[in-house]
Amino acid sequence: MQCHKATAEVNGLCNMKKVADLCSVNGFSEAALDKKKHNKPDEVALSAMEEAYSTILRGLGENTERQGLKSTPGRAARAMQFFTKGYRETVQDVLNDAVFDEDHDEMVIVKDIEMFSLCEHHLVPFFGKVHIGYLPNQKIVGLSKLARVVEIYSRRLQVQERLTKQIAIAIVEALKPAGVAVIVEAEHMCMVMRGVQKKNSRTITSAMLGVFREDPKTREEFLSLIKS
């Protein structure tokens, strides 16, 4: 089933519908990943990545034995494992005991969450800010955990559109709120360093679920508050 179908089903049903089984791990769900997660970097994979970086450097015409590059393949491999550490983490691990029963039904917003990721098309960075809002339905989450959810999904090979929806649906799965809104603003180095080379461009994506999609006033309130 296509992931946009999961998004459609969750709209208006944020406090009732679970979407974990509707999409693959390459889309939104943690279900498949949960069975394969690794708490530590894979040393076998690290060795293979190190050799791959050596091959790339030699392909560029470099001497991998010279002083400045001798340790670069290993450093690059370890750096890449850190940049993609989100593959070894799940939302369930991060939220742990941080979801609380609370009789609160007003909007909760955490804005300007810093985000760094790697574009899956060119393996170059994109970075920016994430704004998250949700309307609780008898459950709230520790505020820092919203930033941790962003970290899980941004620390994978990504496209910004998918990242935005993954964050929104992860919050739906965890809290069953009346609605979730996520906006991502980012600069993409694949547009700055190559291709059209437009250094001042920004990409903005949004995911509005539940009342944020259905009710213009709720959506406008969110948009107004993140700009203030």
Side-chain angles (χ1 to χ4, degrees), residues 109-148:
I109 295 175
V110 178
K111 67 177 187 176
D112 296 330
I113 301 169
E114 291 185 345
M115 176 276 300
F116 301 89
S117 192
L118 287 177
C119 167
E120 67 180 32
H121 299 146
H122 302 100
L123 301 185
V124 294
F126 67 95
F127 54 90
K129 294 181 179 180
V130 181
H131 314 292
I132 299 173
Y134 73 96
L135 276 174
N137 180 39
Q138 306 300 316
K139 289 186 181 295
I140 61 172
V141 66
L143 298 177
S144 67
K145 300 302 183 180
L146 295 176
R148 292 291 303 275

Side-chain angles (χ1 to χ4, degrees), residues 94-187:
V94 164
L95 295 185
N96 200 10
D97 297 324
V99 176
F100 309 102
D101 295 329
E102 187 67 37
D103 186 20
H104 180 78
D105 58 2
E106 298 296 330
M107 193 179 301
V108 178
I109 295 175
V110 178
K111 67 177 187 176
D112 296 330
I113 301 169
E114 291 185 345
M115 176 276 300
F116 301 89
S117 192
L118 287 177
C119 167
E120 67 180 32
H121 299 146
H122 302 100
L123 301 185
V124 294
F126 67 95
F127 54 90
K129 294 181 179 180
V130 181
H131 314 292
I132 299 173
Y134 73 96
L135 276 174
N137 180 39
Q138 306 300 316
K139 289 186 181 295
I140 61 172
V141 66
L143 298 177
S144 67
K145 300 302 183 180
L146 295 176
R148 292 291 303 275
V149 171
V150 172
E151 187 77 358
I152 288 174
Y153 289 109
S154 63
R155 293 296 186 171
R156 301 175 184 182
L157 301 183
Q158 279 289 11
V159 294
Q160 185 174 329
E161 298 87 343
R162 182 197 305 141
L163 172 63
T164 308
K165 288 185 177 181
Q166 284 178 325
I167 295 168
I169 292 183
I171 297 169
V172 168
E173 291 181 334
L175 299 180
K176 309 298 188 296
V180 173
V182 177
I183 290 182
V184 179
E185 306 176 55
E187 297 181 36

Side-chain angles (χ1 to χ4, degrees), residues 3 35 42 49 51-52 65 68 74 76 78 80 108 113 115 118 133 158 160 163 186 188 200 204 212-213 228:
C3 289
K35 298 177 183 178
D42 187 332
M49 290 167 64
E51 181 57 37
E65 295 301 314
R78 288 189 293 274
M80 181 59 75
V108 178
I113 301 169
M115 176 276 300
L118 287 177
Q158 279 289 11
Q160 185 174 329
L163 172 63
H188 291 249
N200 294 318
I204 301 174
F212 286 94
R213 178 181 287 269
S228 63

Side-chain angles (χ1 to χ4, degrees), residues 25 30 33-34 36-40 82 84-94 148-156:
V25 68
E30 291 293 302
L33 183 64
D34 192 45
K36 302 177 181 179
K37 67 177 182 178
H38 303 285
N39 293 324
K40 296 181 180 179
F82 177 78
T84 59
K85 65 187 180 73
Y87 287 120
R88 299 185 296 277
E89 299 174 337
T90 70
V91 173
Q92 290 83 358
D93 291 336
V94 164
R148 292 291 303 275
V149 171
V150 172
E151 187 77 358
I152 288 174
Y153 289 109
S154 63
R155 293 296 186 171
R156 301 175 184 182

